[in-house]
Amino acid sequence: MPEDTFEVVTEIKYRPEIKEQTEEEARRGLLEGEEFMVLEIQVIGMVENYEGKDSLTIDYIAACNQKALTSPWMKEKIRLLTDICEETVMAINNRINTRLFLQIQKREDQELCLYRLSAWLSMGDDSSQRWSIRDQIDPVFEQEDRSVGKRASEARRLAGNVMGKRVG
């Protein structure tokens, strides 16, 4: 995967629930039964002006522990989960695209986090890794696209396959 695929953003507008902690703190937490968000993909819809015309732009932002960002494993998971979001939840037609554009255009900052897909890690009773996939659809997106929930269900299923066999 080329290095320039990712742009490192230090300030994230839509805060994820990721804790920055040492490996020892994470290991201890897992042993004590804690669950940690490892990765979150945020799908941001923005109204941007391109060549004098406003249009809807979709941006994919990955939130993860900064130390993990350099790992080939994490880069691959970011790529795969981003592809899942793009091919399922964001597989929208022109009518929905226009409706979202109009809703986002009304907002003061002309930006909205349409969808979040996150992978959480915990330890199973047999000390194996256990993944939990969660998501969040913005109410505006659900209002404008009644079938987004069905596509999100498929995104969660596919994300579970990507993160590991044992999904809880």
Side-chain angles (χ1 to χ4, degrees):
M1 175 180 278
E3 286 299 314
D4 59 359
T5 302
F6 299 108
E7 174 187 344
V8 176
V9 179
T10 55
E11 189 175 311
I12 297 176
K13 183 174 181 177
Y14 304 97
R15 295 283 328 118
E17 296 179 46
I18 291 178
K19 294 181 193 175
E20 289 291 333
Q21 54 194 183
T22 66
E23 286 181 42
E24 182 56 36
E25 290 170 331
R27 194 176 345 245
R28 192 175 333 111
L30 281 172
L31 290 172
E32 293 172 359
E34 287 185 49
E35 187 177 43
F36 298 100
M37 181 188 289
V38 174
L39 173 62
E40 178 175 270
I41 303 295
Q42 299 177 359
V43 181
I44 313 294
M46 297 172 284
V47 173
E48 292 189 329
N49 191 295
Y50 179 72
E51 295 182 359
K53 187 176 180 181
D54 283 345
S55 63
L56 180 64
T57 300
I58 304 296
D59 209 0
Y60 297 85
I61 296 176
C64 65
N65 183 297
Q66 285 191 318
K67 293 176 189 169
L69 187 58
T70 58
S71 128
W73 180 89
M74 183 61 81
K75 287 180 179 181
E76 179 68 2
K77 298 304 179 191
I78 290 170
R79 184 186 68 74
L80 291 169
L81 292 183
T82 299
D83 287 349
I84 287 169
C85 290
E86 190 171 23
E87 293 167 9
T88 58
V89 174
M90 297 313 299
I92 59 177
N93 60 35
N94 287 337
R95 184 177 61 84
I96 299 299
N97 188 315
T98 300
R99 292 170 74 171
L100 287 173
F101 167 78
L102 293 172
Q103 289 294 332
I104 294 170
Q105 192 177 39
K106 292 177 188 175
R107 300 176 62 84
E108 186 177 322
D109 59 0
Q110 297 198 344
E111 176 177 311
L112 182 62
C113 184
L114 298 168
Y115 181 70
R116 295 174 183 233
L117 180 69
S118 57
W120 294 72
L121 178 64
S122 63
M123 187 177 290
D125 292 338
D126 61 354
S127 299
S128 63
Q129 289 183 347
R130 186 167 177 84
W131 290 97
S132 175
I133 306 299
R134 301 179 191 159
D135 65 355
Q136 182 179 0
I137 305 167
D138 186 271
V140 169
F141 193 5
E142 284 185 298
Q143 175 187 328
E144 297 301 332
D145 184 351
R146 300 282 184 209
S147 64
V148 70
K150 186 174 184 178
R151 295 192 313 275
S153 177
E154 178 65 2
R156 288 189 306 274
R157 185 188 71 75
L158 292 170
N161 291 341
V162 163
M163 295 309 294
K165 301 286 183 234
R166 296 191 51 119
V167 177

